[in-house]
Amino acid sequence: MAYQQFADFSTNSTNPFYLHPNENPALILVSPLLDDKNYHSRARSMHIALISKNKDKFIDGSLGKPLVSDPLYAPWICCNTMVLSWIHRSIYESIAKSVLWSDNAADVWKNLHIRFSHGNIFRVSDLQEDIYKLRQGNLDVSNYFTQLKVLWDELENYRPILACSCAIPSSCGAVASYKHYRAQDQVIRFLKCLNEKFTHSKSQIMMMNPMPDIDKSFSLIIQQERELNSSNSSLVKASSNPEEITTICQVQASSGNSHSKPGQNSSKGRIQGYGKGHNRVCTHCGRTNHTVETCFLKHGYPPCFKTKGKSP
């Protein structure tokens, strides 16, 4: 290993042998911890974390262990041990015990890949089922889309689109067509399982030519959701206005009194007070031309009182 290439490891932060003073073996770079069911997502997160610290070369094998006589031997041992500690802290204790005695971070990384990256067919089956069963339901559009995106990304990790192997790359157009169809499938699945209130928007998006991608489709749907929420908020705000509630109640009372029994005066006459005697309303029977003090229905009819054709 050429020492001159990495001689500035103590000061150059881009040097893979550089260790920041704040870096220590107790750091937990990813969470939750890796187990036998989440290997691909956790391995991806751990790889990104090591790239950010410029230590990915210690797990892909590109920085092999130097000779003891090499000036970089001690820095390599230090960095390799640090990466080993981070890997141990990112996996469950039961798994960490099985790789505890390995001294090379690249060997541990390869061993975990061999042990837990298999069984993809069963996980792919579960992911496909979860994608086709997922509905918006009580979720808002953002949370619904996020759940779909997580499932799509994990499925993409199991079933990546391979690079074109043609003599002239992508000259046949097969890869581009496959990517296009996959993107369309995602848009269709996203729109298909939205709630019924988005029916009009779904139809408009699916009739566009060319069909927008998934990000544009999400943007259009989220705009309609905000518009619907804004309209609903305006209705709720209006219905909570005391003056409007009073008006509604008066209209309902007026319409209810318009179907009064025969012999009772209409609400129109009682409210507007037109005609002789309509300024007096009995609080007991609701009729006009008298008050509660002289109400026959409350105090009884006088002996001489007669109605048309029959006694009271």
Side-chain angles (χ1 to χ4, degrees):
M1 188 177 295
Y3 176 74
Q4 292 78 10
Q5 183 181 357
F6 304 105
D8 59 347
F9 64 86
S10 61
T11 57
N12 185 4
S13 60
T14 62
N15 193 312
F17 292 99
Y18 174 81
L19 284 176
H20 193 273
N22 291 333
E23 293 177 338
N24 61 82
L27 286 178
I28 300 177
L29 300 185
V30 297
S31 180
L33 303 181
L34 179 145
D35 57 21
D36 58 341
K37 298 179 181 179
N38 64 359
Y39 170 78
H40 287 276
S41 60
R42 295 304 93 204
R44 171 68 175 167
S45 300
M46 187 66 179
H47 193 197
I48 292 174
L50 291 175
I51 291 174
S52 68
K53 294 181 174 297
N54 202 21
K55 297 295 182 292
D56 56 304
K57 293 181 175 61
F58 287 91
I59 62 172
D60 61 16
S62 58
L63 274 181
K65 185 178 181 180
L67 299 175
V68 178
S69 58
D70 195 311
L72 292 175
Y73 177 79
W76 187 93
I77 291 294
C78 185
C79 292
N80 177 75
T81 305
M82 186 71 73
V83 174
L84 268 176
S85 300
W86 291 339
I87 293 176
H88 290 162
R89 299 281 291 179
S90 68
I91 58 182
Y92 278 100
E93 183 179 358
S94 59
I95 302 176
K97 289 179 180 179
S98 65
V99 293
L100 181 62
W101 302 105
S102 180
D103 296 329
N104 193 310
D107 292 341
V108 172
W109 190 262
K110 182 178 179 180
N111 180 270
L112 293 173
H113 176 76
I114 294 174
R115 290 165 57 186
F116 299 113
S117 65
H118 295 292
N120 294 352
I121 295 299
F122 297 99
R123 182 54 184 160
V124 167
S125 175
D126 292 339
L127 288 171
Q128 291 176 342
E129 185 177 1
D130 291 342
I131 290 172
Y132 280 90
K133 286 172 58 178
L134 184 61
R135 299 291 186 272
Q136 182 186 356
N138 296 327
L139 299 173
D140 57 33
V141 174
S142 180
N143 287 330
Y144 163 64
F145 175 77
T146 300
Q147 292 190 19
L148 264 180
K149 189 69 164 58
V150 170
L151 295 174
W152 284 334
D153 289 345
E154 187 175 354
L155 185 60
E156 174 71 19
N157 188 67
Y158 286 104
R159 297 285 180 87
I161 300 177
L162 300 178
C164 182
S165 59
C166 297
I168 302 176
S170 301
S171 60
C172 63
V175 174
S177 297
Y178 183 70
K179 289 182 178 179
H180 175 70
Y181 290 141
R182 177 178 284 190
Q184 274 192 344
D185 290 344
Q186 291 182 347
V187 175
I188 293 171
R189 178 51 41 192
F190 168 67
L191 296 175
K192 194 71 175 178
C193 298
L194 287 168
N195 290 340
E196 291 298 325
K197 63 181 179 180
F198 298 106
T199 300
H200 183 64
S201 296
K202 291 191 292 184
S203 301
Q204 286 187 327
I205 293 174
M206 295 183 72
M207 291 174 62
M208 290 182 180
N209 188 17
M211 181 183 292
D213 60 13
I214 185 63
D215 293 328
K216 180 63 176 178
S217 301
F218 169 75
S219 176
L220 295 173
I221 294 296
I222 203 72
Q223 289 181 42
Q224 188 190 3
E225 183 185 47
R226 290 170 182 166
E227 182 179 356
L228 292 174
N229 291 340
S230 177
S231 300
N232 292 337
S233 299
S234 300
L235 290 175
V236 172
K237 184 177 179 181
S239 63
S240 62
N241 189 338
E243 295 181 359
E244 185 168 344
I245 292 177
T246 302
T247 304
I248 293 173
C249 292
Q250 289 176 350
V251 172
Q252 291 177 344
S254 175
S255 62
N257 289 332
S258 64
H259 299 287
S260 58
K261 296 180 180 180
Q264 292 181 341
N265 292 297
S266 67
S267 60
K268 181 178 179 181
R270 292 198 302 270
I271 294 175
Q272 295 181 355
Y274 62 90
K276 184 178 180 181
H278 282 276
N279 59 341
R280 295 184 300 167
V281 180
C282 177
T283 58
H284 177 70
C285 66
R287 298 179 181 179
T288 58
N289 296 330
H290 69 277
T291 61
V292 67
E293 289 82 4
T294 59
C295 180
F296 291 167
L297 294 179
K298 181 177 182 180
H299 303 289
Y301 290 88
C304 62
F305 183 83
K306 292 183 178 180
T307 61
K308 294 182 180 180
K310 55 182 179 180
S311 299

